[in-house]
Amino acid sequence: METTQIPIPTTLPEVEHLIRELYKPNPSTTIARIQEILQGLQRSPGGWQLAQGLLASPDENVKFFGALTIIVKLNTESLPDDDAASVLRKLISWLITSLRGGSREFVLRKLCSALVTHFIRYSHTWPKCVRHLLHCLDTETSVPVEDVKDDSHIEHVIQALDPRKYLVVTWFAMVLAEESEKIDTKSTKYISLHERVLDNAGDVVAILSHHSLQGPRDQGVCSADPIYCLQAWLLYAQRNFKHALIQKLQTLVQPVIGCLLVDELYEAAVELLSDALANWQSFFLQDHFESLYSIFESQWSRQKYQAIIQGDFDFDLVQFGTFMLAFGDAQMVEMMDSTNEKAQGFLAGLAGLLSAEGHPVVEDKIFVPTLEFWSAFVENLVDTLYTESSGRLQWDKPPLSQVMQVVSSSWRKIQYPSLDEYNSWDSVERGGFAEARKDVADFLQSVYTLSGKPLVSMFADLILQALTNSTWSELEAASFCLGALSDCVSDGTSCDDILTCVFGSPLFELLHQGQNVVPVRARQTCLSLIERYSEYFSNHAESLPAALNLLFSAVGDRHLAVPSSKSIYTLCSSCRSLLTTEVDAFLEQYRSLRDNPEFDSLAEERVVGAIASIIQAVPDDAQKTSAFERLLVFVGIDVDSSLRLWSCEGASLVDPSDPRPVVPVLALETSLQLAIRALRCLSSIAKGLQAPSEAPVDLVTEDDGTQVQEDTTLSQTQIGIMNTLVRLKDTFSGNSEVVDVICTILRAGFSETEPGPFVFPPQMVTEFITSTWHSRIAIVVNTASVFVTSLSNGGQKRYIGQILGQLLPWVFGLLHQISDLEPDPELAQYGLEFVQRVMARRPEILMSQPTNMLEFIFLFAIKLLNGSEPLPKAAAAEFWTTFIVLKTDDQNTQAIVDNAMSYLGPQLSQSLIQNIGGKASRSELDKLSDPLKKLVVQHVNARQWLEAALNDPSFPSDKVSAEDKALFLKKIISLRGQRATNQVVRDFWLACRGSSFAYTS
């Protein structure tokens, strides 16, 4: 059917034809057009008559649409009580007729939904809805509501219902709970509605109790719908917590437990019990828990448990495992009691779940949730033991013995399979298995709080056993677990004797022999142990040579380059003061690595960073300078090669004999990659040369303005580095990665308090920043912000005026270039943040700029506040928050600020109110509340400005009255900037949007 050929139907048969077309495989545009036409008909004045005609159709889809039309009309129109009662009678008649005519389930369910919608809207006309519907179904007539008495007995009516009628009233009760649960239980508007829902709860429980939640059998089959109905009522009871309702529902727990043993009802029953145990433990009584213990001790339960242990993870068995875990959550306190034999027996079963066959996530679907339970159990156990007991822990007795059983099972489960099997997994399975290993690592860290040193000793022993037996998967898993505990033992040297057994074993010697002896994955994990326990090597210098020799022998292997280089960097950085005498050997080792054509670029970055950190610790300045210049030479080689290749024509190919690139490629592409590689190495060197974070900081000495004698050698080095940066910037700054790395290099010197190769003179940095860039100028502006902050906080404050005199016009010029046709949100954000930082630290410098520049930046900040980009708008909100409260000792500056605020106040108020009045998104409201709160507190004209903005004809919403606006203004003025203003703003924004998250009424 063509979209352009769909006329508006004028007769009932035409409407029915259009409904049938809706369920045919038509193009999406056709479906959308049909829906649009039908929705218009539903909402039309003739919608009631249309629904009546549709419900009389023999076509099930048409009849369903008729019921849907009734729901639309009930939700969008208000009826007098008499008309509402008439609609109710017709609805029940249609339901009875549909039942009698054998309509399908989806039609009957939709009619039940229509009846519930009627109750929600007009509950005062149908207070005993469940009881009345029962009598109507029993008599197969729509009896008057008043004919059904509150004291009438319904048991005989329920017993007389045939299976289909019983299911219909169950569906109605279920939808009643589901829809009532969506309605705000705290709103006074719906108090009477919820009271009427509760009045019907007793009748619902009577219906569900019939045949113990199993209902009458239809052709020998039980329906699970009564259980789903009960689940809906449990959710409602959690929202609307009433003791009488809870007591009624508690009588149905034992019948639900009985349903577990009925095959057709098992899935629904186990789902209900699992959800309730996990989310509402207090709902269950002690008798319920005793019955559940009996279930878990039964032969039926033992068979399911054994199937899981043997590696059967069908859906019903995973459900059973989840059921066990939910019960464990509910009984966690009891299972911490070692004298409770029944609870301890169940806890042992939960520990056994982790020994099921199969790899976690890939085959074993219960491993991860089981481990999550045990992590929570251990955390609770820690809290209990440390608050209630100071005695010695007995690890051979429950429940601590079960914890160690879990530890033993977990490390075995995370052993990698054979390479062939692992390669057969898809990416999701591999990722899930990796996450499961991380979960085990987190669990072990929790257990360490209980066990301490013995846990470290356990994995050290497992490593040594695996080495002896050459069981490499066990070696890898034990090393992974030992590595996971590194953060736990980082303080002190209490475990050094255990670690000495590992690092002094034949481990390093075996790893030296390559993957022909130890597989790659095991070597990778073992090498990472060195990085994780770098503090151990700091305390045991005698072990450093063996560790570093091993790492440097591995870094040239492409499979081991990344983990070994990471370990080299960490080890050299943490042990830098112990390695200064070997700096020449490190430089020579690096030189030989560069000759390897497979030397990984990331590994190279880490190696040069490691060497730089050692150079930083060299005490002799001459030796330090010499080592640094030697390291810099290697970077220079790549820079020169890059620029030489760039000068070649674009079609030129690299000479295959060139030792650096191994595959002939376009010269320009190779040139760019060499430039990025050189810059990344330079960035890593700059980071390595930074003083360690634990170095002492001089908090007393201030910059007194005296000139420090210039170090000629250092100055020449800085000029050389800066020249390199300039050459690469001028050539490659069209590449965003180049710009990012250059800015990272600059930032490395901003945080330093002592002179160094990357602590460039402020004027040099300023000239470099304000030079020409071809991409990512926003990142350069952001770097300028960090630079200004470093000058404000460091020992170079005397330069701040001169520097800002150059940077401010530069930033203003960049912001001037932003247009509506070519927006740059990132530049707008960072540019305004730069101005805001200057304003906060040196307002007299900002306010001394030319008037036209100041006018531009203030109007620019208003423009961003009015815009739709979230990050620039947040920057603008912070800018105005700072400006509103701006105070300075300089009277001239303060006068300029005050005059500017008097001029800008009305515009700022207008912008804030436009946003709060509905233009802003919900996530932006807290940021926008900050300048509003400051404005109210700081300026006497705030009320006048805000009132004018609220009453302005351009106010974006027509959904709030003048009284609503006046009340909003009164509230924010009276709150005087308190935190509660944020909630008032949210409520007013919601009212302006016309949104409501309560049930549609």
Side-chain angles (χ1 to χ4, degrees):
M1 178 181 285
E2 294 292 333
T3 304
T4 55
Q5 298 176 349
I6 305 177
I8 304 295
T10 56
T11 65
L12 184 61
E14 290 177 352
V15 175
E16 291 185 11
H17 171 72
L18 207 56
I19 292 171
R20 294 187 188 98
E21 288 295 323
L22 188 64
Y23 295 99
K24 291 181 180 179
N26 284 305
S28 58
T29 53
T30 302
I31 297 293
R33 176 58 182 158
I34 293 174
Q35 288 177 327
E36 181 183 354
I37 293 172
L38 292 176
Q39 287 169 1
L41 293 173
Q42 286 178 320
R43 289 178 168 81
S44 69
W48 292 109
Q49 187 177 357
L50 173 65
Q52 188 168 349
L54 296 176
L55 283 165
S57 171
D59 188 306
E60 298 284 349
N61 289 331
V62 173
K63 193 178 295 185
F64 174 88
F65 198 84
L68 179 61
T69 303
I70 293 291
I71 294 174
V72 171
K73 300 301 288 183
L74 286 170
N75 276 327
T76 55
E77 294 185 14
S78 294
L79 300 173
D81 287 355
D82 290 344
D83 290 347
S86 175
V87 171
L88 176 62
R89 286 194 297 273
K90 290 179 180 178
L91 264 174
I92 294 176
S93 295
W94 286 324
L95 177 62
I96 293 171
T97 302
S98 298
L99 254 174
R100 193 184 297 127
S103 289
R104 292 165 62 184
E105 179 179 320
F106 74 95
V107 174
L108 298 174
R109 282 181 179 270
K110 203 64 180 179
L111 285 167
C112 288
S113 295
L115 284 167
V116 170
T117 304
H118 187 285
F119 176 81
I120 299 271
R121 294 298 307 276
Y122 306 103
S123 62
H124 61 284
T125 67
W126 196 28
K128 286 290 185 179
C129 58
V130 175
R131 183 170 296 226
H132 177 255
L133 183 60
L134 272 172
H135 282 281
C136 291
L137 293 173
D138 180 46
T139 60
E140 296 193 356
T141 58
S142 182
V143 301
V145 173
E146 56 272 13
D147 287 0
V148 178
K149 305 301 180 184
D150 289 352
D151 57 353
S152 60
H153 296 290
I154 61 171
E155 287 76 10
H156 69 282
V157 178
I158 298 172
Q159 292 174 0
L161 293 178
D162 63 39
R164 285 195 24 107
K165 289 179 181 177
Y166 179 85
L167 282 180
V168 165
V169 76
T170 301
W171 295 336
F172 173 80
M174 179 167 59
V175 178
L176 177 63
E178 290 172 345
E179 296 303 313
S180 299
E181 192 263 338
K182 300 174 185 176
I183 303 171
D184 188 359
T185 58
K186 298 179 181 178
S187 172
T188 54
K189 180 179 179 180
Y190 299 110
I191 289 177
S192 58
L193 170 64
H194 286 293
E195 287 176 348
R196 295 185 187 105
V197 173
L198 293 174
D199 287 343
N200 282 276
D203 292 340
V204 173
V205 171
I207 293 167
L208 298 181
S209 299
H210 185 55
H211 293 297
S212 299
L213 270 177
Q214 299 178 25
R217 288 181 175 266
D218 186 7
Q219 298 180 353
V221 178
C222 290
S223 170
D225 286 323
I227 300 175
Y228 292 130
C229 179
L230 173 59
Q231 191 164 18
W233 276 91
L234 288 178
L235 290 173
Y236 175 71
Q238 284 183 268
R239 283 286 307 277
N240 192 16
F241 197 88
K242 301 295 182 183
H243 188 64
L245 172 61
I246 292 170
Q247 283 186 317
K248 290 184 178 74
L249 296 176
Q250 284 172 331
T251 63
L252 296 172
V253 174
Q254 294 291 1
V256 176
I257 296 174
C259 291
L260 287 170
L261 305 179
V262 181
D263 289 344
E264 305 102 300
L265 305 180
Y266 165 76
E267 182 177 329
V270 77
E271 179 185 329
L272 182 150
L273 290 169
S274 297
D275 288 347
L277 286 165
N279 301 311
W280 195 10
Q281 292 98 336
S282 60
F283 173 73
F284 293 87
L285 304 175
Q286 187 57 40
D287 287 347
H288 301 152
F289 286 119
E290 292 300 327
S291 297
L292 288 170
Y293 271 120
S294 298
I295 281 286
F296 285 120
E297 292 168 357
S298 67
Q299 182 62 27
W300 171 86
S301 179
R302 283 195 288 270
Q303 288 175 349
K304 287 187 175 295
Y305 180 82
Q306 199 57 40
I308 294 175
I309 299 302
Q310 292 172 358
D312 188 346
F313 296 100
D314 286 346
F315 179 70
D316 66 311
L317 293 173
V318 173
Q319 273 193 313
F320 181 77
T322 304
F323 180 33
M324 287 185 67
L325 294 171
F327 184 73
D329 276 330
Q331 288 285 283
M332 191 170 288
V333 173
E334 287 74 11
M335 288 188 293
M336 291 179 190
D337 180 5
S338 60
T339 63
N340 189 330
E341 294 183 4
K342 188 177 294 185
Q344 290 304 314
F346 186 80
L347 186 63
L350 292 178
L353 282 177
L354 289 167
S355 62
E357 294 181 12
H359 290 93
V361 179
V362 182
E363 295 101 11
D364 187 346
K365 308 300 182 184
I366 203 69
F367 178 85
V368 171
T370 304
L371 194 65
E372 289 173 354
F373 163 81
W374 278 102
S375 295
F377 181 80
V378 168
E379 289 174 7
N380 281 276
L381 193 60
V382 169
D383 293 340
T384 302
L385 291 174
Y386 279 92
T387 55
E388 298 180 5
S389 173
S390 58
R392 183 177 177 273
L393 300 180
Q394 294 179 293
W395 286 94
D396 57 341
K397 293 185 178 180
L400 300 179
S401 58
Q402 280 94 330
V403 172
M404 294 312 294
Q405 180 187 341
V406 170
V407 170
S408 179
S409 299
S410 298
W411 90 269
R412 294 185 185 281
K413 288 282 287 187
I414 62 169
Q415 293 177 22
Y416 276 97
S418 67
L419 192 58
D420 289 341
E421 183 178 353
Y422 181 79
N423 289 336
S424 70
W425 295 351
D426 60 31
S427 59
V428 175
E429 291 170 332
R430 293 180 187 182
F433 182 73
E435 288 299 316
R437 284 168 62 92
K438 292 178 184 177
D439 292 341
V440 170
D442 293 339
F443 171 69
L444 293 175
Q445 291 171 4
S446 298
V447 174
Y448 180 85
T449 309
L450 285 173
S451 70
K453 193 173 178 179
L455 190 64
V456 179
S457 182
M458 169 186 171
F459 288 110
D461 291 342
L462 288 170
I463 288 174
L464 298 178
Q465 290 174 23
L467 285 172
T468 302
N469 301 327
S470 299
T471 47
W472 307 127
S473 61
E474 292 185 7
L475 172 66
E476 192 282 332
S479 298
F480 174 83
C481 293
L482 182 61
L485 298 173
S486 60
D487 290 338
C488 303
V489 302
S490 59
D491 298 330
T493 58
S494 60
C495 294
D496 280 9
D497 55 334
I498 300 172
L499 296 174
T500 299
C501 294
V502 174
F503 295 127
S505 71
L507 176 63
F508 286 179
E509 183 180 343
L510 273 172
L511 296 177
H512 258 301
Q513 296 177 24
Q515 64 188 58
N516 293 330
V517 178
V518 183
V520 170
R521 194 179 301 281
R523 294 179 72 203
Q524 290 173 335
T525 305
C526 291
L527 288 174
S528 70
L529 274 180
I530 300 175
E531 177 214 348
R532 287 186 169 273
Y533 286 99
S534 59
E535 189 170 328
Y536 166 84
F537 292 97
S538 298
N539 298 327
H540 297 270
E542 70 279 3
S543 300
L544 266 176
L548 287 168
N549 287 334
L550 171 64
L551 293 172
F552 272 102
S553 69
V555 79
D557 185 327
R558 60 189 177 89
H559 299 293
L560 304 175
V562 173
S564 58
S565 62
K566 187 179 180 183
S567 296
I568 288 171
Y569 183 85
T570 303
L571 205 57
C572 290
S573 180
S574 60
C575 305
R576 61 181 68 190
S577 59
L578 300 175
L579 297 169
T580 54
T581 58
E582 302 298 326
V583 68
D584 291 336
F586 279 101
L587 287 166
E588 185 59 30
Q589 187 73 255
Y590 172 49
R591 186 199 60 75
S592 63
L593 284 171
R594 281 175 58 88
D595 293 336
N596 181 354
E598 293 188 355
F599 189 28
D600 183 80
S601 59
L602 176 59
E604 182 175 11
E605 291 174 37
R606 290 171 173 169
V607 169
V608 296
I611 296 172
S613 66
I614 298 172
I615 293 173
Q616 186 276 330
V618 173
D620 182 77
D621 289 342
Q623 185 183 359
K624 178 185 292 187
T625 301
S626 173
F628 174 73
E629 289 177 349
R630 286 178 61 189
L631 186 59
L632 211 56
V633 165
F634 295 115
V635 177
I637 292 172
D638 284 348
V639 171
D640 291 341
S641 298
S642 170
L643 295 174
R644 174 175 54 81
L645 290 171
W646 185 263
S647 64
C648 299
E649 294 183 12
S652 299
L653 293 177
V654 176
D655 183 357
S657 63
D658 192 318
R660 296 299 284 164
V662 294
V663 179
V665 289
L666 287 174
L668 296 184
E669 182 181 339
T670 304
S671 173
L672 175 60
Q673 294 307 313
L674 277 173
I676 292 173
R677 182 169 182 154
L679 284 169
R680 288 199 169 279
C681 286
L682 200 58
S683 174
S684 189
I685 291 170
K687 182 180 178 182
L689 286 177
Q690 289 178 322
S693 56
E694 66 270 15
V697 177
D698 189 350
L699 300 176
V700 179
T701 304
E702 294 189 9
D703 180 18
D704 58 3
T706 59
Q707 295 292 323
V708 179
Q709 184 175 356
E710 184 175 324
D711 184 332
T712 306
T713 304
L714 177 61
S715 178
Q716 290 301 315
T717 300
Q718 291 173 336
I719 292 172
I721 296 173
M722 184 56 72
N723 286 338
T724 297
L725 295 179
V726 169
R727 292 163 67 197
L728 294 175
K729 175 187 74 70
D730 291 344
T731 307
F732 300 105
S733 67
N735 180 274
S736 60
E737 186 176 0
V738 168
V739 177
D740 287 345
V741 182
I742 288 176
C743 289
T744 302
I745 293 169
L746 291 178
R747 289 174 183 235
F750 294 164
S751 60
E752 294 297 277
T753 57
E754 297 295 329
F758 293 92
V759 186
F760 303 110
Q763 185 58 36
M764 183 184 290
V765 175
T766 304
E767 291 175 0
F768 183 70
I769 285 177
T770 56
S771 60
T772 303
W773 299 81
H774 302 294
S775 71
R776 296 283 281 161
I777 187 65
I779 296 300
V780 183
V781 173
N782 187 241
T783 301
S785 292
V786 180
F787 174 52
V788 169
T789 302
S790 71
L791 291 180
S792 302
N793 298 333
Q796 297 179 315
K797 293 181 180 179
R798 62 182 179 275
Y799 298 111
I800 190 71
Q802 173 189 346
I803 299 304
L804 289 178
Q806 300 172 69
L807 290 177
L808 278 170
W810 174 70
V811 172
F812 287 152
L814 292 172
L815 296 181
H816 256 298
Q817 296 171 18
I818 300 176
S819 66
D820 293 334
L821 295 177
E822 295 184 11
D824 189 339
E826 191 178 34
L827 177 57
Q829 174 196 347
Y830 288 145
L832 196 60
E833 286 178 353
F834 175 86
V835 179
Q836 186 264 334
R837 290 191 185 190
V838 175
M839 177 169 59
R841 288 172 170 80
R842 298 299 295 267
E844 74 282 359
I845 295 178
L846 176 65
M847 303 310 291
S848 66
Q849 299 302 306
T851 304
N852 63 328
M853 291 174 61
L854 291 176
E855 183 177 2
F856 163 76
I857 199 63
F858 286 124
L859 294 179
F860 183 77
I862 291 286
K863 180 181 178 181
L864 293 188
L865 202 60
N866 290 331
S868 57
E869 289 289 344
L871 294 178
K873 180 178 286 191
E878 189 171 351
F879 174 91
W880 285 113
T881 302
T882 302
F883 183 70
I884 291 168
V885 298
L886 192 60
K887 299 294 180 186
T888 175
D889 294 333
D890 186 273
Q891 294 183 355
N892 292 332
T893 302
Q894 191 63 52
I896 297 173
V897 170
D898 294 341
N899 290 335
M901 193 64 223
S902 298
Y903 173 73
L904 296 165
Q907 296 182 64
L908 174 60
S909 300
Q910 175 86 354
S911 179
L912 290 172
I913 291 300
Q914 290 280 318
N915 276 288
I916 295 168
K919 285 189 173 181
S921 64
R922 180 190 289 271
S923 61
E924 296 167 345
L925 295 178
D926 279 341
K927 273 287 185 183
L928 292 166
S929 297
D930 290 340
L932 178 66
K933 290 185 288 188
K934 300 300 182 185
L935 188 66
V936 167
V937 174
Q938 295 290 329
H939 291 277
V940 294
N941 294 324
R943 176 190 285 272
Q944 174 187 337
W945 295 338
L946 294 170
E947 187 174 20
L950 284 164
N951 297 319
D952 192 278
S954 65
F955 185 79
S957 174
D958 59 0
K959 295 181 175 63
V960 289
S961 64
E963 291 76 14
D964 294 330
K965 295 176 182 177
L967 181 60
F968 166 71
L969 182 58
K970 181 179 179 181
K971 286 181 178 179
I972 62 172
I973 294 295
S974 61
L975 283 169
R976 300 287 297 167
Q978 295 179 42
R979 177 65 184 171
T981 302
N982 295 51
Q983 185 59 49
V984 174
V985 166
R986 280 194 290 271
D987 292 342
F988 185 69
W989 174 87
L990 194 62
C992 292
R993 281 287 184 98
S995 303
S996 175
F997 297 103
Y999 192 89
T1000 304
S1001 56

